[in-house]
Amino acid sequence: VRGMTAQEVFKDVEFLKREEVYVTPSWLAANLGRVVVLDARAQALYLKGHVPGAVNAEWTHFVRLGGRPGDSGWGVRLPMPELARRLGALGVDGERTVVVYGDLGGWGQEGFLFWVMRSYGIRKVKILEGGYTGWLSSGGRRDLVPHRGKGGRMPRLSDKDDTRWNVDIKWLSENLDKVKVIDVRTQPEYEGARFFQERRGGRIPGALHLPFDSLFTKEGALKGQDEIRALMEGLGVSPQDVVIVYDTAGVRGAYACVALRMSGYYARNVDEGFQRWAGMPDLPVSTGRP
């Protein structure tokens, strides 16, 4: 079956420039008080210190967690009305710029928050380059006072862009032979290890492997376009391919999706993640080294 190309799927493919995604610590320092700052790290880390005025907003704040991993709807983004309420409570109104940050060695939670907001039409969202470590190393002040969002007007969300950024398991299973699927989990997970209550271990059949941390330098900065393109070429993926990215529950996959969009690839993330694929016994999995 001939693979579909990005241009055939959507005529208005949306790529991202690096400056559209990132702001520097110096930029944030100059704009504190005029932007909404969300700390996407775990609460325990937030309480040990954060960017002044930042509100803690873990990825679990934006997803459904009823039932257990693998159930239909588990771990996927909240429906728009509820998500709008939660964003509004954090001070996100769709007008002021939102800056999200994580830190070195994380799961890319900041990229997930960026992806969630962009997929639902909020365009004024940025990622702090270098995360919290970069903030401190640049001379940024550490705040120890917990902050709550200044709730106000809720943002106006739209699912018009949703299919540009996300696919579900049903769509993927029906188009598996027409796209390039990339698994961004660790090598043990890719081969079959179960670390997060997966009902089955393994990977989606035919998935290529691009570990999430391979997209970043040892200092934690996202690699440049040429380096990421070299990684993709090594996997046999071209910018003309439609790329579907997944991880366990969609968090690492979301940031990888953003990174690939910045490098000229039409990537979309599987919000349901491998958790849901593994929870559907009629769908096959592959294990071991390919």
Side-chain angles (χ1 to χ4, degrees):
V1 178
R2 184 176 66 87
M4 60 179 73
T5 67
Q7 288 74 19
E8 289 173 322
V9 177
F10 289 103
K11 295 180 180 179
D12 53 350
V13 175
E14 182 183 28
F15 297 119
L16 298 169
K17 296 179 180 179
R18 198 175 186 102
E19 59 269 24
E20 292 178 304
V21 176
Y22 288 112
V23 296
T24 63
S26 60
W27 184 95
L28 179 57
N31 287 276
L32 281 178
R34 292 192 289 270
V35 298
V36 178
V37 185
L38 300 182
D39 185 320
R41 300 174 301 156
Q43 185 182 54
L45 295 175
Y46 172 80
L47 293 175
K48 291 179 180 178
H50 47 267
V51 172
V55 179
N56 192 211
E58 297 184 57
W59 73 275
T60 52
H61 189 68
F62 304 99
V63 302
R64 302 171 180 169
L65 293 175
R68 64 191 185 98
D71 288 348
S72 176
W74 188 92
V76 303
R77 295 161 302 166
L78 292 167
M80 286 195 297
E82 185 174 353
L83 183 61
R85 285 193 294 271
R86 293 202 178 188
L87 287 169
L90 294 170
V92 178
D93 59 12
E95 297 297 327
R96 287 198 298 166
T97 296
V98 181
V99 178
V100 299
Y101 70 88
D103 208 358
L104 306 181
W107 287 1
Q109 298 98 316
E110 65 272 37
F112 178 76
L113 267 62
F114 179 96
W115 175 84
V116 167
M117 285 185 260
R118 285 299 293 253
S119 68
Y120 278 149
I122 296 178
R123 305 186 71 84
K124 292 184 177 182
V125 55
K126 306 283 188 177
I127 296 174
L128 176 61
E129 194 163 23
Y132 186 58
T133 295
W135 170 260
L136 294 177
S137 64
S138 68
R141 183 169 60 87
R142 181 176 64 167
D143 186 0
L144 292 173
V145 180
H147 298 275
R148 301 185 66 177
K150 297 179 181 178
R153 185 177 61 181
M154 294 187 298
R156 181 177 298 177
L157 303 184
S158 168
D159 61 0
K160 183 181 71 172
D161 292 335
D162 184 41
T163 55
R164 289 185 179 183
W165 290 97
N166 180 52
V167 300
D168 57 25
I169 294 297
K170 181 178 184 296
W171 186 95
L172 180 57
S173 64
E174 293 172 351
N175 293 277
L176 196 58
D177 56 352
K178 303 182 185 71
V179 298
K180 294 292 179 71
V181 181
I182 297 181
D183 185 321
V184 298
R185 298 175 300 162
T186 62
Q187 187 73 34
E189 291 173 284
Y190 179 72
E191 294 182 10
R194 292 187 291 169
F195 297 142
F196 305 106
Q197 304 178 55
E198 298 93 331
R199 297 187 188 178
R200 291 181 291 165
R203 60 183 175 274
I204 295 174
L208 304 168
H209 191 215
L210 182 68
F212 178 69
D213 59 8
S214 70
L215 295 170
F216 298 84
T217 68
K218 62 182 180 180
E219 293 79 22
L222 182 71
K223 290 179 178 178
Q225 184 181 86
D226 290 345
E227 293 174 285
I228 291 177
R229 286 199 170 198
L231 291 172
M232 295 292 278
E233 288 171 7
L235 295 175
V237 181
S238 79
Q240 284 70 49
D241 292 318
V242 173
V243 177
I244 307 299
V245 186
Y246 76 89
D247 75 322
T248 309
V251 179
R252 289 169 288 182
Y255 201 163
C257 174
V258 172
L260 292 176
R261 287 287 186 93
M262 293 167 62
S263 298
Y265 293 88
Y266 184 60
R268 286 182 285 171
N269 182 40
V270 183
D271 189 14
E272 295 177 299
F274 183 73
Q275 290 276 26
R276 181 56 182 155
W277 185 284
M280 300 176 70
D282 56 320
L283 294 178
V285 297
S286 299
T287 57
R289 288 185 177 271

